[in-house]
């Protein structure tokens, strides 16, 4: 466990440094999450898969091949990369429609394939992370009641992480192409987000550029 969490923190640190050196290499949150994922997978061994359930309709008719001829290959899976992007499932406290940006798995995990979509169990997570890429916003601003605000978006990610099992280590990392916290007026936003993160047992980090 310790090695896994150290690897996660080192990968986030390396991605953060890379982003600050050349933010043009990262176009969105998925690019940041995938960068962290690749760094971790280069260090950590794959996770063993203890059980795979394939829930696939066999309602094909005529000359159309049965879907199971394709998805049945998942039953042969015995291991996957320990770190995966866009993970979720019906057993997650926020439902299957919402996905976490990054999940780090323990061994002997369970996987369900429903209609070609992979779903996991939150109890198989060792760590989880959400990445927020705030582009073209000059200042963060404290706007908890504005659903369209970046403050609300970040707070939502923190709350989602806070719903995971207590033994899952959680990270929320905010990247931006401006220093969102450079005004005194943004101190309240930063303080409230850190207090929310503390209540949800989430490690909140800001990766913000400085003038050159």
């Amino acid at each position: 466990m310790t090695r896994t969490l150290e690897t996660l923190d080192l990968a986030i640190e390396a991605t953060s440094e890379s982003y600050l050196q050349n933010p043009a290499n990262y176009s969105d949150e998925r690019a940041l999450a995938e960068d962290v994922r690749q760094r971790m997978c280069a260090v950590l061994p794959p996770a063993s898969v203890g059980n795979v359930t394939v829930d696939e309709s066999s309602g094909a008719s005529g000359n159309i091949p049965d879907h199971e001829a394709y998805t049945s290959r998942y039953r042969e899976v015995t291991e996957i990369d320990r770190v995966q992007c866009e993970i979720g499932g019906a057993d997650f406290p926020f439902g299957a429609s919402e996905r976490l940006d990054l999940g780090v798995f323990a061994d002997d995990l369970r996987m369900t394939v429903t209609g070609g979509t992979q779903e996991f169990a939150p109890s198989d997570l060792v760590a989880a992370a959400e990445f927020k890429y705030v582009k073209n916003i000059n200042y963060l601003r404290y706007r908890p009641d504005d659903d369209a605000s970046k403050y609300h978006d970040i707070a939502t990610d923190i709350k989602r992480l806070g719903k995971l099992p207590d033994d899952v280590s959680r990270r929320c990392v905010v990247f931006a192409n401006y220093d969102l916290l450079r005004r005194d007026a943004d101190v309240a936003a930063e303080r409230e987000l850190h207090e929310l993160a503390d209540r949800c047992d989430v490690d909140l980090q800001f990766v913000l550029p400085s003038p050159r």
Side-chain angles (χ1 to χ4, degrees):
M1 171 71 82
T2 300
R3 181 183 180 225
T4 298
L5 297 184
E6 287 177 349
T7 302
L8 173 59
D9 290 336
L10 288 172
I12 290 174
E13 181 181 351
T15 296
S16 298
E17 291 176 356
S18 178
Y19 170 81
L20 291 174
Q21 289 174 5
N22 191 352
N25 281 332
Y26 302 91
S27 57
D28 54 21
E29 292 160 11
R30 179 59 187 264
L32 292 161
E34 181 60 29
D35 194 67
V36 173
R37 189 189 85 85
Q38 290 183 9
R39 293 177 190 275
M40 293 190 70
C41 288
V43 176
L44 298 176
S48 60
V49 178
N51 180 266
V52 180
T53 301
V54 178
D55 183 11
E56 182 63 84
S57 169
S58 59
S61 59
N63 295 324
I64 302 174
D66 193 324
H67 298 165
E68 292 183 359
Y70 302 99
T71 56
S72 61
R73 291 176 295 176
Y74 283 97
R75 294 192 181 95
E76 302 171 2
V77 171
T78 59
E79 63 180 27
I80 61 173
D81 288 345
R82 189 167 297 274
V83 187
Q84 299 284 333
C85 291
E86 294 296 315
I87 64 107
D91 292 337
F92 277 74
F94 36 79
S97 60
E98 296 185 39
R99 316 288 285 189
L100 294 171
D101 291 336
L102 190 88
V104 185
F105 290 106
D107 281 314
D108 201 32
L109 66 90
R110 293 161 291 163
M111 183 173 69
T112 300
V113 182
T114 304
T117 299
Q118 294 175 207
E119 297 186 355
F120 300 94
S123 57
D124 289 328
L125 282 176
V126 171
E130 292 278 56
F131 299 92
K132 185 62 63 182
Y133 191 1
V134 182
K135 293 184 284 188
N136 304 319
I137 301 295
N138 294 333
Y139 309 111
L140 183 55
R141 298 181 177 88
Y142 180 48
R143 294 177 174 176
D145 300 323
D146 182 358
D147 291 351
S149 72
K150 290 303 178 183
Y151 177 95
H152 186 273
D153 284 349
I154 297 168
T156 298
D157 280 357
I158 294 171
K159 292 175 183 176
R160 184 183 300 115
L161 288 167
K163 295 178 180 179
L164 294 172
D166 291 341
D167 59 348
V168 176
S169 185
R170 308 114 180 221
R171 310 284 191 278
C172 180
V173 190
V174 181
F175 295 81
N177 51 16
Y178 294 96
D179 181 356
L180 303 175
L181 308 174
R182 66 185 185 273
R183 303 183 312 166
D184 291 342
D186 299 310
V187 171
E190 182 181 15
R191 182 184 65 250
E192 292 293 331
L193 285 174
H194 275 292
E195 289 179 355
L196 174 63
D198 287 343
R199 293 196 298 272
C200 295
D201 195 20
V202 173
D203 180 9
L204 173 63
Q205 304 173 45
F206 287 90
V207 181
L208 308 175
S210 299
R212 300 182 66 86

